Amino acid sequence: MDLPRLETILSRYEGETWDLIPVLQDIQDSYSYLPKDELQVVAERLNVPLTQIYSVATFFKMFSLIPKGKHQIKVCCGTTCHLRGGGRVAESMSHRLGVEVGYTTKDMQFSLETVGCLGSCAQAPVVMIDDRYFGRTTVDKVPKILKLYK
Amino acid sequence: MPRFESTDHLREYRRQLVAKRDPNQTQVMVCAGPGCLPMGSEEVAAAFREEFEKNGLGAKVLLKECGCHGLCAGAVRVLIRPQEITYQHVTPEDVPEIVEKTLKEGQVVDRLVYEDLHSHEKAVHKGEIPFFKGQMPIVLRKLDVIDPTSMDDYLAMGGYRGLRQALLEMKPDEIIDAVDKSGLRGRGGGGFPTGRKWRICQDELEEPKFIICNGDEGDPGAFMDRAVMEGDPHAVLEGMIIGAFAIGASKGYIYVRHEYPLAVRRLQLAIDQAREAGFLGKNILRSGFNFDIQISRGAGAFVCGEETALIHSMEGNIGEPSPRPPYPAQAGLFGKPTVINNVETWANVPEIINMGADWYAGIGTENSKGTKVFSLVGAVNQTGLVEVPMGTTLRQIVYDLGGGIRQDREFKAVQTGGPSGGCIPAQFLDLPVDYDSLQSVGSIMGSGGMIVMDTTSCMVDVARYFINFLYEESCGKCTPCREGLKNLLFILDEIIHGRGTEEQLALMEELCDTMAAASICGLGKSAVNPIRSTIKYFREEYLAHIRDKKCHALVCRPLLKYTIDPETCTGCLACVRECPVGAISGKKKLPQELDQELCVKCGLCYEACQFDAVHIE
């Protein structure tokens, strides 16, 4: 376990029970998942039962208990994206990367997920890779987009 | 940025700031809003920077990457001041020409200006574009003027004037009276009168009190709050500080969904600036009032847009709602009185204080005052953010502002209110949009998403989409919502697969009655709206799926059949590469064949084909 890394995160907070979600968010951002050993330490420090931590970690969509890939692909399946073929874009991504939606490629390069709405509805269908947005994505644009990250 | 110790100091600073600014300063405003960012506005801004450098214009021209310009259909948009020339669909390659022709020679680049789809008339200036006529920007007013990272820009536009007035010239009661009188109602969906909510909280004796800004804009199809948080973050802060002073709160939180990383960065910067300037912290503007704001990031749960669920998640728990009363205004965060308002509601507050409650109450309809921002998206020609007075009709929004339906198709419905709203058919196009009228036709205002649908959308599929969304997002705490959604989804799947019965339609309506009556929170109670409204207005579409096993909009996969036309197929193999199940085969440059047994009807071949050789029946 990388204790100094975890200590840096914990030092930003006062150690109250309501710091749980921000602490987990920082761990998720830093480690790309919530490692078991780290959660044990968080439970002790914040005085929160480990069961509650797992309850929170499995309730919210941004948390993952297994490592995520280097790049996070979010295919928007909000209403407008759904109507304009966001689902097909997700399928095409899945097919080209050889990974199911919700999973990570074997080489740990890409995690593919669909999300509720990214808030760029005028450019539907929208894809977000890490912090970058791609608007009006169609199936034929998928290889070009993926190429930028390969 | 100085720390403002008094109102005179602030006034003097603002005076000097405005005096220093040349009204004829050339400004290039590149839209970096939710609609333009995905289309490459960062690249366009970088191209301008490079071109200014090359031409030695860096000192003469001001480049701003600003908030949403509104008309997202023309992304990337560029606005040039003081001439107010607007360009659309700008790419980095267009930038040298804009610099050369417009900035140096004062001419308009004709090919980049707005052109009406039907009349082919061109419009160079913002005010001439039909999309902007009939709009009344209050909340969106500053978005294409200010640099969201500059507090000076906000101050120069009269920012924090409302706060100054509230803090030094008004008593808390007077502020609440003004908000009450303005008729402002919650813009997040519920439409509860804001002034009344504040009063309930003010009347509570328990201390401390809290303020929360709900920026968990979860409704798919809505992005106005994102645009405001990213484009005018100080307006949200100013509204919150005024509200906190009115109810006597000492701490505020802005709850932003984690899908909006830029909004988080912009708000954090604005908070830091406001602290430095003394608008947040101890003894604000020497009024004796102490207040600070902190950002709380959402962790990805739609239900957290519901206020009690949001509070539970801020306390470190899962986002399960709890029955009301007590309302958060009585017992909210950590059991203390808490006012929760949505982003747009907060952004309205400074304007109400500035311009007066009567002015605000003079806009809108009897029971819905002021303006509302809508994200007009879907099958309209001109998509984007619009802000119109309450009472504007759907027809005006869809046809006058939105420029009608794409490819002159037929209007089918407009979906408002996100998953809690309904689908409004063509017969109600002349409905004046306000809280009550939308409710009367089985939908809700919601946060302001307005998704227009044409004949290519299947209403059964739309209902299934929302029920599936809610099924995945339901927290599972109460039985009517958890089990109701599961069963609705099951029935809808049966219908979509051509296995549905007419009895099931009645059963769905019965399930809806139970869910509406017995669910704990708004998610379950309003989840029935997509079902009820589509069954009521589009029953024949359900019946076509049930009786004829047909989806006329060609959406529901199990009822479709894909074929490849040997006459038009060129054998380019684009479809073969795309097909996930290997159902398409044939030699290169020869017509391909599609194996119906293997086909999963995903439609990837249809989309990949450049020659329209893939047909759907």
Side-chain angles (χ1 to χ4, degrees):
Chain A
M1 186 177 54
D2 187 353
L3 199 58
R5 188 166 167 191
L6 182 62
E7 288 297 348
T8 319
I9 290 172
L10 287 167
S11 68
R12 293 177 205 147
Y13 300 93
E14 282 160 25
E16 303 287 352
T17 52
W18 54 81
D19 291 327
L20 176 61
I21 291 175
V23 167
L24 295 185
Q25 286 174 323
D26 287 1
I27 296 175
Q28 176 74 44
D29 288 345
S30 170
Y31 292 72
S32 94
Y33 77 115
L34 304 177
K36 201 173 160 190
D37 294 344
E38 273 76 356
L39 293 186
Q40 187 70 53
V41 178
V42 172
E44 285 159 22
R45 293 293 181 80
L46 301 187
N47 202 17
V48 174
L50 195 58
T51 48
Q52 195 196 327
I53 294 186
Y54 274 95
S55 153
V56 167
T58 51
F59 183 88
F60 293 100
K61 275 192 291 246
M62 80 169 278
F63 300 128
S64 170
L65 297 173
I66 48 170
K68 284 206 174 180
K70 190 173 160 202
H71 300 294
Q72 315 292 317
I73 305 179
K74 292 180 177 141
V75 182
C76 185
C77 284
T79 320
T80 325
C81 291
H82 170 77
L83 293 175
R84 303 193 74 84
R88 276 201 292 276
V89 173
E91 273 170 314
S92 177
M93 287 267 184
S94 161
H95 168 47
R96 290 200 175 261
L97 292 170
V99 65
E100 295 276 311
V101 171
Y103 291 89
T104 302
T105 53
K106 281 204 185 94
D107 61 4
M108 297 305 285
Q109 286 297 301
F110 297 99
S111 289
L112 178 65
E113 56 178 325
T114 55
V115 293
C117 183
L118 291 169
S120 284
C121 319
Q123 313 305 357
V126 179
V127 171
M128 191 176 182
I129 302 186
D130 303 329
D131 264 5
R132 183 165 172 198
Y133 296 91
F134 298 88
R136 301 189 195 179
T137 49
T138 43
V139 166
D140 54 312
K141 283 188 195 163
V142 167
K144 258 184 259 168
I145 294 173
L146 289 178
K147 218 175 167 184
L148 294 172
Y149 295 87
K150 273 182 175 165
Chain B
M1 179 61 58
R3 187 184 165 83
F4 298 110
E5 295 293 347
S6 69
T7 55
D8 288 344
H9 185 185
L10 173 60
R11 193 182 297 147
E12 183 54 26
Y13 183 83
R14 193 198 311 275
R15 201 188 59 75
Q16 284 183 15
L17 197 65
V18 176
K20 258 196 311 209
R21 296 197 165 190
D22 174 7
N24 293 318
Q25 160 85 52
T26 307
Q27 296 185 41
V28 174
M29 320 288 295
V30 178
C31 178
C36 286
L37 266 181
M39 303 306 284
S41 55
E42 281 163 322
E43 289 80 3
V44 170
F48 270 111
R49 238 172 258 126
E50 195 184 314
E51 220 37 47
F52 292 168
E53 187 99 358
K54 260 193 228 161
N55 291 278
L57 288 170
K60 279 190 213 144
V61 182
L62 205 59
L63 176 73
K64 285 183 190 174
E65 286 173 78
C66 63
C68 181
H69 287 196
L71 184 44
C72 306
V76 174
R77 304 194 69 82
V78 172
L79 173 62
I80 294 167
R81 293 211 158 83
Q83 304 92 321
E84 300 275 329
I85 297 170
T86 60
Y87 289 137
Q88 56 180 23
H89 300 301
V90 178
T91 62
E93 292 72 45
D94 299 321
V95 171
E97 192 180 346
I98 297 176
V99 171
E100 195 57 38
K101 268 189 113 174
T102 308
L103 298 182
K104 284 182 163 176
E105 295 167 20
Q107 289 173 19
V108 173
V109 183
D110 216 38
R111 63 183 177 86
L112 295 174
V113 302
Y114 175 88
E115 184 183 318
D116 193 272
L117 272 173
H118 298 104
S119 69
H120 298 288
E121 268 177 52
K122 297 208 167 184
V124 176
H125 304 104
K126 185 180 163 185
E128 297 156 2
I129 301 174
F131 180 84
F132 295 104
K133 289 180 188 169
Q135 286 204 47
M136 188 181 191
I138 295 175
V139 173
L140 302 181
R141 183 174 64 97
K142 301 188 278 312
L143 258 60
D144 65 0
V145 184
I146 63 172
D147 170 355
T149 63
S150 161
M151 184 157 161
D152 275 353
D153 270 17
Y154 185 70
L155 289 171
M157 286 285 287
Y160 289 108
R161 198 182 267 158
L163 175 69
R164 191 196 66 83
Q165 193 179 335
L167 241 49
L168 297 142
E169 291 168 19
M170 296 170 88
K171 292 196 175 72
D173 273 329
E174 290 170 343
I175 298 171
I176 297 179
D177 283 345
V179 174
D180 203 24
K181 220 171 125 193
S182 74
L184 177 66
R185 291 169 66 176
R187 297 292 192 248
F192 193 81
T194 307
R196 203 188 307 163
K197 190 185 268 185
W198 291 15
R199 179 86 65 205
I200 295 169
C201 190
Q202 190 203 29
D203 287 346
E204 289 293 321
L205 299 172
E206 195 79 38
E207 298 267 352
K209 291 175 184 172
F210 298 107
I211 290 266
I212 296 173
C213 170
N214 185 348
D216 192 51
E217 186 171 56
D219 283 359
F223 59 100
M224 46 266 140
D225 291 348
R226 175 179 163 196
V228 173
M229 291 188 283
E230 289 180 2
D232 193 7
H234 280 286
V236 180
L237 303 188
E238 188 180 352
M240 289 178 73
I241 307 169
I242 294 170
F245 177 67
I247 65 152
S250 53
K251 184 84 200 260
Y253 297 87
I254 308 179
Y255 190 93
V256 191
R257 61 198 291 252
H258 86 285
E259 286 89 346
Y260 291 174
L262 182 61
V264 172
R265 290 201 295 275
R266 292 269 163 84
L267 285 164
Q268 189 57 56
L269 178 69
I271 290 172
D272 295 342
Q273 291 168 338
R275 266 186 209 141
E276 202 187 320
F279 296 135
L280 284 174
K282 296 228 179 304
N283 199 11
I284 297 168
L285 291 176
R286 276 212 208 141
S287 61
F289 171 58
N290 308 323
F291 179 66
D292 209 348
I293 295 177
Q294 182 184 325
I295 292 177
S296 186
R297 269 197 305 155
F302 174 73
V303 69
C304 287
E306 198 279 339
E307 54 184 17
T308 59
L310 185 152
I311 286 171
H312 291 312
S313 84
M314 283 183 60
E315 291 167 344
N317 299 309
I318 59 171
E320 279 182 344
S322 48
R324 302 174 301 179
Y327 288 92
Q330 302 162 305
L333 187 61
F334 308 122
K336 305 293 180 190
T338 305
V339 160
I340 303 190
N341 280 131
N342 144 283
V343 171
E344 193 184 333
T345 315
W346 288 119
N348 267 298
V349 170
E351 301 294 337
I352 290 170
I353 301 298
N354 249 328
M355 304 290 289
D358 291 333
W359 165 79
Y360 198 82
I363 306 162
T365 62
E366 168 108 43
N367 291 316
S368 305
K369 300 299 187 189
T371 57
K372 179 76 194 82
V373 185
F374 293 104
S375 59
L376 181 62
V377 290
V380 284
N381 283 309
Q382 306 300 344
T383 52
L385 281 188
V386 298
E387 184 171 3
V388 289
M390 293 276 192
T392 306
T393 66
L394 283 171
R395 189 183 299 280
Q396 284 172 303
I397 297 174
V398 173
Y399 285 91
D400 298 348
L401 306 181
I405 309 298
R406 276 186 207 185
Q407 294 166 16
D408 285 324
R409 287 204 189 97
E410 197 187 323
F411 171 95
K412 188 184 259 187
V414 57
Q415 204 281 340
T416 69
S420 309
C423 295
I424 305 169
Q427 68 199 82
F428 297 117
L429 268 173
D430 291 306
L431 189 80
V433 177
D434 67 18
Y435 291 100
D436 311 308
S437 65
L438 288 178
Q439 217 153 16
S440 74
V441 296
S443 189
I444 58 163
M445 176 81 85
S447 57
M450 211 174 249
I451 299 135
V452 181
M453 298 171 194
D454 61 15
T455 43
T456 62
S457 293
C458 165
M459 301 317 283
V460 182
D461 171 71
V462 168
R464 190 203 171 272
Y465 166 78
F466 282 119
I467 295 305
N468 182 52
F469 179 91
L470 291 164
Y471 167 71
E472 284 180 12
E473 294 292 347
S474 168
C475 74
K477 183 175 177 177
C478 71
T479 315
C481 175
R482 185 185 64 240
E483 297 301 319
L485 285 167
K486 192 172 163 184
N487 283 286
L488 286 176
L489 186 60
F490 172 79
I491 297 173
L492 285 166
D493 274 335
E494 290 287 288
I495 295 175
I496 278 169
H497 280 85
R499 300 190 293 256
T501 63
E502 284 175 54
E503 290 73 47
Q504 284 178 320
L505 277 187
L507 180 59
M508 285 210 290
E509 289 180 294
E510 201 184 314
L511 280 167
C512 286
D513 292 342
T514 311
M515 288 170 68
S519 298
I520 289 182
C521 83
L523 189 144
K525 279 185 202 298
S526 60
V528 303
N529 286 335
I531 297 284
R532 280 178 173 168
S533 65
T534 49
I535 292 185
K536 186 169 175 193
Y537 301 126
F538 301 96
R539 182 175 277 270
E540 76 284 1
E541 283 197 35
Y542 280 94
L543 294 178
H545 285 70
I546 295 170
R547 287 182 192 156
D548 314 332
K549 321 286 178 212
K550 286 226 156 67
C551 175
H552 294 302
L554 303 177
V555 175
C556 296
R557 282 185 189 180
L559 303 178
L560 302 182
K561 186 182 171 194
Y562 285 88
T563 50
I564 296 173
D565 178 6
E567 298 290 311
T568 35
C569 178
T570 63
C572 73
L573 307 186
C575 56
V576 178
R577 279 189 290 273
E578 214 48 71
C579 181
V581 290
I584 307 173
S585 57
K587 291 210 170 90
K588 200 173 177 183
K589 293 190 178 164
L590 287 175
Q592 302 296 302
E593 270 184 52
L594 203 164
D595 185 340
Q596 296 298 334
E597 292 288 305
L598 292 174
C599 178
V600 289
K601 299 165 183 178
C602 65
L604 291 177
C605 54
Y606 177 76
E607 208 167 297
C609 183
Q610 305 288 317
F611 306 97
D612 291 331
V614 180
H615 294 189
I616 326 174
E617 318 167 9

